[in-house]
Amino acid sequence: MHSDISSTDYPYSINTSDHYVIHGLLNAPQNTQITDLHSKIVILPVLQDTGLHTHLAHSQRKFFNQNGYDVLRISFSSLNQNGRCFQDVTLGHMASDMRQICADLRQSYDNIFIAAHGLSSFAVALSNADCDGQSLIEPCFVPYENFVESGYTYRRDLNMYQSLMNPMECLSTRLVESCKLFDHASCRAMIQSMDKPSQFIWAENGLGENMSALYKAYLNTHAQSVTITGADHNFNAANSIEKAMEQSLEWFNYCNHMYIISALTAAPDAYKLPTYTVN
């Protein structure tokens, strides 16, 4: 692995089925050009385009580039005139966008992986998009009352739901209304329909205590569950981001290995990997 890396941000865009434009930034590993033929890419979806430049997104981009992956940071909403406004985004939009992005990238990449955090992982799971493996980090999507009602408060003056953990983080009323559709039964049905190799990364001090049981009970696909000791939901604790990224990389490399094997032999029977903790 390279000790350091510099990478140029290449603009990425794709038209949606409802006539908006999704915007993002594409980065290739050091000493390669984005026009070169690459075999694997990691998608990092975020709710707003400001999320493309957070410490978490930049850390993930640098880390996966260092390890030979192209990286696409993509936003479900944008301040660009042709982008979808944050206030108008729903889970349905996000899921549809993920399917469209993966279909577009499949024309250029053999292996597509997704690393999503928080509510973005809701959309990834709901989309069941064409990827070869996904790492869902603190996936806040089962069920609605366990996440939004406990973690947010409605601000009438803003007409938004404000995070109790981070006052700078808000959700639009339309997005929350779409979350409300996912009660326990709806989340169970969604989990049962997931068929992509899925890793779940939990923070020891995060929001997963009431959520992981549903996955364990109803998930039918290849899966792994990892808990990062000392981490909070946003992975602000020292070294917690690095530990989560290392787990995602290990999972993607494993999925890539299985992809190579499956191209040579019959596909293995479904299985579930063990649950474990990273200190």
Side-chain angles (χ1 to χ4, degrees):
M1 187 176 73
H2 300 298
S3 60
D4 199 353
I5 189 169
S6 59
S7 179
T8 301
D9 290 339
Y10 295 88
Y12 172 90
S13 64
I14 181 175
N15 295 321
T16 69
S17 57
D18 55 347
H19 311 298
Y20 289 100
V21 177
I22 306 167
H23 295 274
L25 298 170
L26 185 60
N27 299 88
Q30 192 177 28
N31 301 323
T32 63
Q33 297 296 320
I34 211 65
T35 54
D36 292 346
L37 180 61
H38 297 152
S39 63
K40 53 189 180 181
I41 188 170
V42 176
I43 306 171
L44 306 175
V46 297
L47 284 174
Q48 305 180 68
D49 48 10
T50 53
L52 301 174
H53 306 285
T54 63
H55 175 60
L56 175 60
H58 275 298
S59 297
Q60 289 176 308
R61 191 278 302 165
K62 179 178 179 179
F63 179 79
F64 288 115
N65 275 167
Q66 285 178 326
N67 284 278
Y69 288 78
D70 284 6
V71 176
L72 174 61
R73 287 169 286 160
I74 200 76
S75 175
F76 292 120
S77 66
S78 176
L79 295 175
N80 286 284
Q81 189 173 3
N82 57 5
R84 187 183 289 111
C85 293
F86 175 68
Q87 289 82 356
D88 295 331
V89 173
T90 67
L91 289 174
H93 292 140
M94 295 159 68
S96 177
D97 290 352
M98 280 306 309
R99 288 190 291 268
Q100 198 161 350
I101 292 165
C102 287
D104 178 58
L105 294 176
R106 186 59 77 185
Q107 301 176 63
S108 304
Y109 293 91
D110 292 329
N111 300 116
I112 299 172
F113 302 101
I114 306 170
H117 173 261
L119 198 56
S120 292
S121 63
F122 195 145
V124 172
L126 180 62
S127 73
N128 210 24
D130 178 21
C131 71
D132 301 286
Q134 54 194 20
S135 180
L136 306 181
I137 307 166
E138 275 287 285
C140 307
F141 59 87
V142 278
Y144 158 75
E145 58 269 17
N146 283 358
F147 174 55
V148 178
E149 288 187 348
S150 62
Y152 286 80
T153 182
Y154 179 67
R155 287 281 305 273
R156 186 176 298 275
D157 56 326
L158 300 174
N159 192 29
M160 286 191 177
Y161 286 78
Q162 188 176 50
S163 170
L164 298 176
M165 294 186 296
N166 179 9
M168 298 300 293
E169 179 183 324
C170 294
L171 299 177
S172 70
T173 54
R174 192 171 184 189
L175 181 56
V176 171
E177 288 301 315
S178 67
C179 290
K180 288 181 179 180
L181 300 176
F182 286 84
D183 56 13
H184 188 284
S186 298
C187 289
R188 181 180 64 188
M190 180 187 72
I191 292 169
Q192 289 174 326
S193 70
M194 293 171 62
D195 61 8
K196 305 300 184 292
S198 301
Q199 177 191 61
F200 299 92
I201 297 182
W202 306 102
E204 181 184 28
N205 303 313
L207 304 174
E209 182 178 356
N210 297 320
M211 303 177 186
S212 60
L214 268 173
Y215 305 127
K216 294 176 182 177
Y218 299 114
L219 195 67
N220 296 314
T221 189
H222 301 190
Q224 179 188 66
S225 182
V226 181
T227 300
I228 307 297
T229 301
D232 59 23
H233 173 68
N234 290 313
F235 292 83
N236 293 315
N239 300 321
S240 59
I241 291 178
E242 289 75 13
K243 291 176 182 178
M245 292 188 299
E246 288 169 0
Q247 292 303 312
S248 296
L249 176 65
E250 184 176 318
W251 180 248
F252 295 158
N253 287 341
Y254 177 83
C255 292
N256 186 50
H257 177 68
M258 293 303 297
Y259 170 84
I260 295 172
I261 291 177
S262 66
L264 301 174
T265 63
D269 294 334
Y271 60 92
K272 292 192 178 182
L273 295 181
T275 298
Y276 65 99
T277 299
V278 176
N279 295 311

